[in-house]
Amino acid sequence: MNSIRLLISVLLCCLTFSAYSQQRQIKGILKTNTGKPVAYATVTVKSQNQSILAFKASDIDGNFSLLLPDTVKITELFIEVNYLGYKKSVTPIAQGKVSYEILMEEQVIDLSEIEIKSRPRIRSSGDTLSYDVGSFAKEEDRTIGDVIKRMPGMEVNESGQIKYNGKDISNLYVDGDDLLDDRYGVGTKTIPNGMVQDVEVMQNHQPNKVLKGKALSEDVALNLKIKDTARLKLAGQIKVGAGLPGQYDEEINSILFNKKYKMLNVLKGNNTGTDLAPELTAFNQPGMRSNLGNSRPSPLLSTGTVGVPELPTNRYYFNNSGSLNANNLFNIWNGWQLKTNASLLVDKNKMDHLSVNETYIGQDTINYTEQQYIEKSPFIADLSVRLEANKDKYYFNNSLKLGYNKQMGRGALLNNNLNMGQYFKSRVADFSNRLQYIPAISKNNVISLNWYLNYFNNPQTLNINPGINADVFNGGLAYKGINQYVETPTWFSNASIGVRFSKGLIKQNYQFAVQNEWQELNSELRFNQIDGQKTPYIGNPDNHVEWTRHQTYLNSNYELKKGKWETILSLPLSLQYIAYRDSAFGLSEKKNRFLFNPSFRTKYYIQAEDYLSANYAYTNETGNVNGIYHGTILTNYRSLEANNPILQEQHAHNFGMNYNFQRTISMLYINAGISYTKATSNTIASREITNNISSTVLLPYTNDVSAFSASAGFSKYVFALGATTGVKASWGTTRFNQFLNETLLPYKNISFTIQPSIEARLWDQISLKYEGSGSWITSNPLNSTSVGNQYSQRIRQSDQTFSLGYSPVKNTFLRFSGRHQYTSQQQTEDIRYFFADANIRHRIQKWRIDIELDITNLANIKAYDTYSLSANQFGYNHYNLRGMMAVLKFLFNL
Amino acid sequence: MKTKEMLIAFALITPIIFTNSSAFAQVKDPVLAEIRYDFTHVTDTNHRDKPKKEEMVLYIAKNSSLYKSQSLATKTEEALKQMKEFSSGNEGGHQMLAFSSPNLTNEEIYNFHQDKKMLLIDKVGLTAYSIPQQYPSIDWQISNETKEIGGYKCQKAIAAFRGRNYTAWFTAELPFPYGPWKLNGLPGLILQAEDDKKEVVFNYAGFDKKEEGLVNIELQKGITETTSADLARAKKVFEKNPGGNMLRNMPIPAGANVQTKMVFKDETGKEMTKEEMDAKMSMSNKMNGKPVFNNPLELSNK
């Protein structure tokens, strides 16, 4: 080695010696305007194309001397000195000039000229993980959701909801501001990935500054850190799309993420099968309501017994939808924030389906056939206004939410050769206000004041013509039709005061709350007789139930964080008073209950990034007004429901354990968990089924239900392949009872699901994605002797999607995707489907336009069959699909 | 290289009477930016398929740079977090930690560009030693070949250095005369470098600016200066009885009345006693033999 090195040195010497004929010398001095020499600065000689030809650092006196080859044209060169702490200086080289005196202007170190073009993929600091968007984005991506999907540990579902390591995120912040509240699906689907610098995952996220370090949090939140350059300007897109047969798909959005003011407004319309409702879903609302004890009775009436197929909506949804989503946030002054979120949805959709339902009871099989054509026209409007101050000293929040929705449905239905027309109308009025004030009273102690008020009503009407099942409904007399009306107006209030002591080892939190619920259930079932008279259901008065529930509770909450342990113990004691009456049935009941619902949660950090957590909860639940009404309600054309007026009471033990493992440095994420629930209630739903009608009555019975499930997930980024791989699996078993035609049928269901996935990029041009799901479900009667010839039911299903992306030239992207579905069931033949879609996109960078051709359902599949299985019921559904369609879209970036 | 052992030891020293804070006075040079490298090194020429791989980071400041293991930094951060939990309520305690793993570099290279001074800091157990290095003044030959790395337009330069012929790609868009390991002195940051045998490869893995004051390049004063030969010898002795030596070598100021607590952990984070750790370390040395290290970075000293 030494000899080689020597040889090079010798060669260099020779070069220098002979340089006089072939090289030119440039020398000079670097000085500030006060004459101070600039030492150790790198002096470069650059050509026009910014290529460096020679360089040398200045010496301690600021002198430099460079040699240039004679072959280059010297007048096209310049001397550049770019040295930290000084302004960049550029001096052209002049013919014949050898010595240069370069003046350097001192300045504060300024890195703004240095552009960050590619950052480390993931950085972690404390509880925050930052994913560099640029490293994960691919050229074909348009929205931040497309990129988040690809980040290891993250999942994004069809409605835009995000999960991190299997856990739903609590908020999606934009530069620290919660612009979208929990209707953030529109953000995932609209915010261009180009605007976002980093996606930050904040674990153990405590949104209230005043509670930081005072209360433990399990929440995971995401923050989108916006690029400096994107903060200043208004961004927006216009999408214009048209296609065959008779398709349109339009969108306008405008985005501004300023420090003071943020907005995201989206106007959309389509008839291509995209359901716009999921974008308006408030993901965390149901959880928030149940935390406050506001459990709403579920809607009672429906037009049929069939749900939607498990396919993306653009396969089966015959729609005409439009939506407006406006989100505006103002940082008014000194930490005060005002936010409005408004949304509007208008839709007209049609559905056509056939279903066959078999119920096995003893030796008998009862069959229902339902063929339905229905047109629905939902209208949904929501407005929320929120004033918030999130400060170190206090937290204040008042949110007002107004919701109104209306749905009309009209259709024809054929049930077991019985022909009828249906008209359905449903309205929802929902008003709520939530006030929170959490001041710190001293360094470690805070008080919290909360008040939540809600009014909710959901009146529903179902009209059926002509008069069906006269034997059951009208004493065998022919009649014209049925009108069923039901409403449940409800006022709910929860006011609480809490105090939190966070000094010492155990942080204590006490909350005293008063909860009130006033509710009515009014229903009317009428039969239109041929003579024009409206008569009630024989021997069955209408319901006019008045229901009140008052509860006071004291919740003591203890949090302990020591070493590797984090533990929360909650001991709520409550006194509940329930009264309900309905004079028509001579019903008047009062119940006092003392309830204790303790819960315990503990977390043990095995390492900084790994933890094991366990939780236990005991819950006492009492039923609602839906469980005590006595008068019969026709919930759909063939179901009658009523109750024995016994208050439903259920108590349950829930136990769960989770293990979370992450290695940020190697991008490995693992989670596993088990959960077990055992619930006992004092009632059981008893169903009587005949060939044309089923009726349900709630009966007193000690009813045990238990469920066990185990699940695990794994996700890893393989650096060598540039691929994110993952597997998820879950196994579960449920035991429950059915009471059918006066026979008790205990059942056990077992299900197993496994979902592998991989996403990779090959040679920078081809991207591959695979997602599979396989499931095995069995349903067994527990003691087969008593139930006769019950089948043991078994269904196997697999659902695999793959997609192949190819970018033959820059700015052109082709994508082909396929989905294979397979269902196998003992008594019937196997079902197989293969759906294929293609998409071509070209981006004209200069005009900032994307042109896209979207062809869905290449195989033009027009019908879709599914089987379903639950205990002793077997269902077959047949749906009409949209068939092949092609849509051409133009996307303008403003 | 088969051994995946990683041992963490950390000590909690809680001074009761006496704190010598002035011993840790520092000169600060705020870090302006950082660059990451994926570093691959064929340390054993008999097993070219199993090179050492590590993520490295280069901190860039105005007058200096610091090159060290990012993988180690991540481990350190984890460990510090754990220590914080241990020491809660014990504020004021001084904490130290050490890692031992064939896949983690404990060495840190400080480059004081202006003073043409380079220092290598290495650890024996919990004690850090500083070894002054011969300043690498590399005679780079610039070619006009260019390519794009991580969005930056890079220009090629070649040089022979310490027995290997390196090709480096630097970018004038990032005007810092630094690079990975001891490679430096180009008119722009070195984003990628490798030797002609591809035994030593530094691949670009991201660049980011740092907010001022977040990280500083600071050399702890009072670190014992030594030579590479002496350090190698000290390491050899230390490895015979790591647990005991760790305690003995703990840098406690003379006369200080301190409480110490030492925790040893294996690669899975399981706590071990001193004896278990010693046994485990000597066992892994016996089982797998000492990992062969026949191909150092520096093949010659020129």
Side-chain angles (χ1 to χ4, degrees):
Chain A
M1 275 306 165
N2 276 340
S3 59
I4 295 174
R5 175 70 196 165
L6 200 68
L7 193 68
I8 292 170
S9 310
V10 169
L11 263 170
L12 282 173
C13 284
C14 293
L15 273 173
T16 331
F17 265 111
S18 54
Y20 267 109
S21 58
Q22 285 159 23
Q23 290 192 306
R24 198 173 293 201
Q25 196 188 30
I26 299 285
K27 60 179 187 178
I29 185 160
L30 305 181
K31 274 184 183 172
T32 63
N33 50 7
T34 57
K36 202 177 84 185
V38 179
Y40 311 118
T42 307
V43 181
T44 57
V45 174
K46 283 184 164 182
S47 64
Q48 296 291 0
N49 65 0
Q50 292 294 316
S51 175
I52 296 171
L53 299 175
F55 75 98
K56 193 80 186 226
S58 61
D59 66 12
I60 193 149
D61 300 318
N63 294 311
F64 66 91
S65 161
L66 287 153
L67 289 175
L68 284 176
D70 213 12
T71 43
V72 289
K73 211 175 165 194
I74 204 141
T75 47
E76 282 173 5
L77 304 181
F78 51 90
I79 303 170
E80 187 180 292
V81 188
N82 192 359
Y83 188 51
L84 279 180
Y86 295 88
K87 256 194 181 156
K88 182 160 137 185
S89 104
V90 179
T91 316
I93 295 180
Q95 188 74 46
K97 190 175 172 186
V98 179
S99 187
Y100 294 81
E101 191 180 298
I102 295 169
L103 272 188
M104 301 289 291
E105 195 182 325
E106 276 185 87
Q107 67 171 19
V108 186
I109 294 178
D110 176 22
L111 291 185
S112 65
E113 257 187 50
I114 290 175
E115 215 183 310
I116 300 168
K117 294 183 175 171
S118 45
R119 295 151 42 104
R121 268 187 282 251
I122 299 187
R123 287 150 295 141
S124 103
S125 106
D127 280 334
T128 306
L129 266 184
S130 302
Y131 289 74
D132 177 45
V133 172
S135 300
F136 288 95
K138 295 182 178 174
E139 273 194 64
E140 62 264 34
D141 292 343
R142 262 190 295 208
T143 65
I144 192 66
D146 297 338
V147 187
I148 293 176
K149 248 180 235 174
R150 238 181 247 125
M151 296 175 172
M154 306 259 213
E155 290 166 60
V156 180
N157 73 14
E158 218 187 313
S159 60
Q161 191 175 15
I162 303 172
K163 278 184 176 173
Y164 175 71
N165 237 355
K167 193 177 160 84
D168 290 336
I169 65 160
S170 61
N171 309 73
L172 180 77
Y173 295 98
V174 176
D175 263 344
D177 287 330
D178 192 9
L179 171 65
L180 303 171
D181 230 333
D182 59 355
R183 291 172 199 245
Y184 64 78
V186 65
T188 336
K189 290 180 157 190
T190 311
I191 299 172
N193 57 301
M195 291 183 84
V196 186
Q197 180 76 65
D198 288 316
V199 173
E200 296 176 332
V201 181
M202 300 181 283
Q203 299 182 72
N204 300 321
H205 174 65
Q206 173 55 260
N208 301 346
K209 281 186 195 159
V210 66
L211 293 179
K212 279 224 170 98
K214 292 172 189 147
L216 298 183
S217 165
E218 288 277 274
D219 288 347
V220 178
L222 243 58
N223 180 34
L224 304 180
K225 201 173 155 211
I226 303 300
K227 284 181 186 165
D228 289 341
T229 47
R231 283 202 187 108
L232 306 168
K233 57 184 183 210
L234 183 74
Q237 290 177 319
I238 296 179
K239 185 169 81 180
V240 181
L244 290 171
Q247 304 293 303
Y248 70 90
D249 185 2
E250 329 292 338
E251 177 177 340
I252 299 180
N253 66 55
S254 61
I255 300 172
L256 182 67
F257 294 149
N258 202 313
K259 206 174 169 197
K260 285 249 150 133
Y261 170 60
K262 292 189 170 62
M263 71 161 187
L264 177 78
N265 298 325
V266 187
L267 179 68
K268 280 184 179 182
N270 79 81
N271 68 349
T272 55
T274 308
D275 186 8
L276 301 172
E279 278 181 21
L280 310 179
T281 311
F283 298 122
N284 301 324
Q285 277 296 309
M288 192 274 281
R289 271 204 304 271
S290 82
N291 279 347
L292 289 164
N294 186 12
S295 58
R296 285 174 182 168
S298 40
L300 285 161
L301 309 187
S302 67
T303 50
T305 57
V306 180
V308 294
E310 277 189 40
L311 283 177
T313 54
N314 66 356
R315 301 246 183 267
Y316 68 85
Y317 195 53
F318 291 84
N319 69 322
N320 247 308
S321 319
S323 79
L324 172 71
N325 191 318
N327 305 282
N328 293 276
L329 181 144
F330 308 85
N331 280 312
I332 321 170
W333 166 79
N334 195 15
W336 285 82
Q337 201 172 73
L338 180 71
K339 185 166 68 180
T340 60
N341 303 88
S343 61
L344 193 70
L345 175 92
V346 189
D347 188 22
K348 252 193 172 50
N349 62 66
K350 294 182 285 193
M351 206 161 99
D352 211 347
H353 63 76
L354 167 75
S355 92
V356 177
N357 189 294
E358 289 180 354
T359 308
Y360 312 107
I361 306 158
Q363 306 296 325
D364 300 329
T365 302
I366 293 170
N367 273 296
Y368 287 120
T369 313
E370 175 181 320
Q371 190 172 1
Q372 178 160 227
Y373 170 80
I374 188 153
E375 272 182 30
K376 288 181 184 168
S377 49
F379 170 88
I380 304 172
D382 279 296
L383 172 71
S384 121
V385 181
R386 181 168 170 143
L387 180 69
E388 191 176 5
N390 194 358
K391 302 192 173 202
D392 295 331
K393 287 264 184 268
Y394 65 89
Y395 175 79
F396 174 88
N397 167 18
N398 187 68
S399 5
L400 175 75
K401 284 184 200 294
L402 299 170
Y404 176 76
N405 85 55
K406 193 172 83 175
Q407 172 155 314
M408 312 259 249
R410 193 187 292 277
L413 192 137
L414 184 71
N415 167 42
N416 293 356
N417 299 322
L418 213 59
N419 224 326
M420 68 192 94
Q422 288 198 92
Y423 176 73
F424 174 76
K425 203 167 94 179
S426 161
R427 268 192 313 124
V428 171
D430 187 358
F431 153 85
S432 74
N433 189 67
R434 190 176 189 197
L435 177 74
Q436 276 176 295
Y437 177 55
I438 310 176
I441 44 171
S442 68
K443 196 179 151 220
N444 296 306
N445 307 332
V446 288
I447 288 183
S448 76
L449 297 163
N450 298 280
W451 184 44
Y452 171 80
L453 181 70
N454 179 216
Y455 172 78
F456 181 81
N457 193 13
N458 182 8
Q460 291 181 301
T461 315
L462 179 66
N463 295 337
I464 298 172
N465 296 303
I468 52 164
N469 288 329
D471 293 350
V472 184
F473 294 132
N474 208 32
L477 274 173
Y479 68 105
K480 267 160 72 183
I482 310 174
N483 294 335
Q484 171 73 60
Y485 173 78
V486 59
E487 62 159 11
T488 48
T490 309
W491 279 97
F492 178 87
S493 155
N494 182 322
S496 69
I497 177 163
V499 59
R500 186 181 284 274
F501 305 106
S502 25
K503 204 179 154 108
L505 207 54
I506 296 172
K507 296 184 166 75
Q508 305 165 58
N509 180 18
Y510 300 94
Q511 196 183 28
F512 177 77
V514 178
Q515 190 179 302
N516 311 88
E517 185 177 73
W518 297 272
Q519 193 165 49
E520 283 174 31
L521 188 147
N522 301 316
S523 77
E524 210 178 74
L525 179 55
R526 290 288 178 277
F527 298 88
N528 300 332
Q529 302 299 339
I530 293 175
D531 60 8
Q533 264 195 305
K534 288 178 195 277
T535 57
Y537 189 32
I538 301 153
N540 223 317
D542 297 329
N543 287 303
H544 293 290
V545 187
E546 282 171 44
W547 161 280
T548 49
R549 176 164 61 174
H550 302 298
Q551 197 174 359
T552 54
Y553 63 86
L554 178 70
N555 188 359
S556 326
N557 211 56
Y558 303 95
E559 297 174 3
L560 168 72
K561 187 172 180 173
K562 183 162 175 17
K564 302 177 200 166
W565 290 92
E566 261 182 43
T567 300
I568 298 178
L569 175 68
S570 171
L571 304 168
L573 284 168
S574 73
L575 198 62
Q576 182 174 268
Y577 166 80
I578 292 178
Y580 50 94
R581 58 199 179 94
D582 191 339
S583 50
F585 296 94
L587 178 69
S588 179
E589 298 270 344
K590 286 187 179 71
K591 292 226 155 46
N592 276 306
R593 286 279 186 278
F594 180 70
L595 304 173
F596 179 50
N597 296 326
S599 71
F600 175 75
R601 197 173 79 206
T602 188
K603 199 163 162 182
Y604 174 74
Y605 282 89
I606 297 160
Q607 286 211 36
E609 290 189 303
D610 316 340
Y611 65 81
L612 188 67
S613 70
N615 59 283
Y616 167 80
Y618 178 76
T619 53
N620 275 292
E621 275 171 19
T622 39
N624 57 28
V625 73
N626 274 6
I628 52 116
Y629 66 84
H630 205 46
T632 304
I633 294 177
L634 183 78
T635 58
N636 61 48
Y637 67 93
R638 65 167 160 90
S639 307
L640 285 169
E641 286 186 14
N643 306 284
N644 263 345
I646 312 158
L647 186 65
Q648 256 179 301
E649 285 176 276
Q650 189 190 62
H651 55 93
H653 300 272
N654 304 289
F655 172 75
M657 244 172 119
N658 275 294
Y659 179 57
N660 218 61
F661 177 98
Q662 67 184 52
R663 286 288 171 272
T664 316
I665 186 90
S666 44
M667 298 203 201
L668 169 68
Y669 303 83
I670 299 172
N671 64 70
I674 51 170
S675 84
Y676 176 74
T677 305
K678 187 174 191 297
T680 308
S681 69
N682 63 343
T683 54
I684 189 167
S686 159
R687 291 211 296 151
E688 287 290 330
I689 303 187
T690 64
N691 277 328
N692 288 321
I693 200 111
S694 87
S695 61
T696 308
V697 180
L698 212 55
L699 293 179
Y701 175 79
T702 309
N703 184 12
D704 287 334
V705 178
S706 69
F708 174 81
S709 74
S711 62
F714 166 95
S715 160
K716 165 97 178 100
Y717 186 81
V718 183
F719 290 89
L721 299 171
T724 304
T725 57
V727 187
K728 285 197 291 181
S730 68
W731 184 88
T733 164
T734 317
R735 282 162 187 263
F736 61 100
N737 298 305
Q738 285 224 324
F739 212 75
L740 249 181
N741 289 4
E742 293 169 2
T743 318
L744 182 72
L745 305 170
Y747 272 90
K748 183 180 174 184
N749 282 2
I750 298 174
S751 68
F752 176 72
T753 310
I754 183 157
Q755 296 167 287
S757 67
I758 183 162
E759 171 153 17
R761 166 141 253 185
L762 308 169
W763 309 291
D764 252 23
Q765 276 187 320
I766 297 173
S767 60
L768 273 173
K769 191 175 159 183
Y770 169 83
E771 271 173 10
S773 159
S775 64
W776 290 259
I777 305 167
T778 57
S779 181
N780 294 309
L782 271 179
N783 42 354
S784 46
T785 47
S786 68
V787 274
N789 67 343
Q790 292 293 313
Y791 296 113
S792 207
Q793 304 271 7
R794 200 180 296 258
I795 278 190
R796 274 187 297 142
Q797 280 174 318
S798 77
D799 191 340
Q800 302 176 84
T801 51
F802 78 91
S803 112
L804 177 75
Y806 177 54
S807 173
V809 288
K810 202 169 183 245
N811 291 324
T812 301
F813 315 100
L814 303 171
R815 199 183 65 233
F816 178 79
S817 54
R819 178 173 181 180
H820 182 263
Q821 288 183 312
Y822 167 77
T823 309
S824 147
Q825 212 268 341
Q826 279 163 326
Q827 292 109 320
T828 52
E829 54 189 277
D830 297 351
I831 295 183
R832 282 188 182 83
Y833 283 100
F834 184 76
F835 292 101
D837 302 316
N839 178 291
I840 305 162
R841 210 166 92 218
H842 180 69
R843 179 173 292 168
I844 306 171
Q845 207 90 47
K846 204 166 71 185
W847 299 335
R848 297 159 62 81
I849 294 179
D850 282 26
I851 303 169
E852 184 177 355
L853 177 66
D854 208 21
I855 307 170
T856 31
N857 202 346
L858 287 169
N860 199 18
I861 298 166
K862 294 216 142 183
Y864 184 67
D865 296 334
T866 63
Y867 294 130
S868 66
L869 181 68
S870 71
N872 56 339
Q873 277 189 51
F874 171 72
Y876 159 78
N877 291 322
H878 173 91
Y879 301 92
N880 278 353
L881 297 187
R882 297 179 57 107
M884 180 156 87
M885 58 182 180
V887 181
L888 186 67
K889 298 173 197 168
F890 294 87
L891 189 88
F892 305 91
N893 289 294
L894 305 177
Chain B
M1 285 327 300
K2 277 173 286 174
T3 43
K4 275 245 161 176
E5 295 314 304
M6 199 212 51
L7 301 150
I8 313 173
F10 53 75
L12 202 74
I13 311 174
T14 314
I16 294 176
I17 298 172
F18 172 81
T19 20
N20 189 357
S21 61
S22 66
F24 292 95
Q26 291 136 9
V27 185
K28 285 183 184 175
D29 195 3
V31 171
L32 306 169
E34 66 166 60
I35 175 169
R36 306 263 181 106
Y37 299 101
D38 286 329
F39 171 48
T40 314
H41 178 194
V42 178
T43 47
D44 180 355
T45 47
N46 301 317
H47 292 100
R48 288 183 176 274
D49 53 325
K50 285 178 189 148
K52 168 181 172 157
K53 282 187 176 179
E54 196 169 0
E55 191 185 15
M56 306 301 285
V57 62
L58 177 78
Y59 288 126
I60 297 160
K62 186 176 182 297
N63 300 319
S64 53
S65 72
L66 166 59
Y67 176 74
K68 62 180 194 177
S69 165
Q70 176 61 32
S71 311
L72 179 71
T74 313
K75 292 268 171 243
T76 309
E77 195 180 315
E78 279 169 25
L80 277 173
K81 230 186 210 166
Q82 293 176 10
M83 283 163 71
K84 230 181 244 162
E85 283 158 18
F86 271 101
S87 65
S88 57
N90 255 339
E91 279 98 2
H94 187 68
Q95 298 152 352
M96 327 200 69
L97 62 154
F99 292 85
S100 166
S101 161
N103 272 317
L104 286 177
T105 307
N106 271 306
E107 292 177 358
E108 298 178 350
I109 296 171
Y110 288 80
N111 179 359
F112 302 96
H113 177 66
Q114 295 208 334
D115 307 336
K116 298 267 174 279
K117 227 178 108 184
M118 184 173 274
L119 284 178
L120 187 142
I121 308 284
D122 201 356
K123 269 183 178 172
V124 178
L126 289 164
T127 320
Y129 292 96
S130 136
I131 305 136
Q133 305 287 303
Q134 181 198 346
Y135 196 81
S137 299
I138 306 172
D139 197 359
W140 293 105
Q141 302 298 306
I142 295 187
S143 99
N144 53 8
E145 223 177 294
T146 59
K147 75 168 172 182
E148 202 184 273
I149 300 170
Y152 297 102
K153 190 186 158 197
C154 293
Q155 205 170 334
K156 186 174 162 181
I158 53 166
F161 178 64
R162 304 271 156 98
R164 295 182 189 273
N165 298 316
Y166 285 99
T167 301
W169 293 88
F170 69 96
T171 176
E173 291 176 51
L174 304 171
F176 307 106
Y178 306 120
W181 182 54
K182 294 181 179 177
L183 305 177
N184 78 106
L186 277 163
L189 190 61
I190 300 173
L191 298 192
Q192 200 186 75
E194 61 183 31
D195 74 332
D196 54 1
K197 290 187 224 150
K198 305 233 191 283
E199 289 173 353
V200 177
V201 180
F202 302 94
N203 271 327
Y204 175 74
F207 174 84
D208 201 2
K209 287 192 240 183
K210 284 267 174 201
E211 262 173 65
E212 188 147 339
L214 221 57
V215 193
N216 291 304
I217 294 183
E218 48 196 348
L219 196 59
Q220 286 192 2
K221 279 188 185 165
I223 295 180
T224 317
E225 206 169 278
T226 184
T227 63
S228 343
D230 286 350
L231 185 84
R233 205 170 48 208
K235 273 189 173 171
K236 219 174 194 174
V237 173
F238 180 83
E239 276 159 20
K240 285 187 183 153
N241 178 11
N245 284 321
M246 190 90 70
L247 275 170
R248 207 169 308 134
N249 290 2
M250 199 138 44
I252 301 165
N257 183 357
V258 299
Q259 253 188 358
T260 57
K261 186 190 174 189
M262 189 169 274
V263 183
F264 299 99
K265 289 185 171 189
D266 70 359
E267 67 281 9
T268 63
K270 202 184 94 203
E271 267 186 40
M272 299 183 294
T273 63
K274 184 175 83 63
E275 289 69 28
E276 277 173 327
M277 186 182 92
D278 283 353
K280 190 164 182 174
M281 243 171 152
S282 70
M283 177 77 86
S284 81
N285 283 349
K286 266 179 211 154
M287 295 274 287
N288 309 310
K290 284 280 285 177
V292 181
F293 192 83
N294 65 7
N295 188 22
L297 279 169
E298 303 186 29
L299 298 171
S300 82
N301 56 2
K302 280 190 181 166

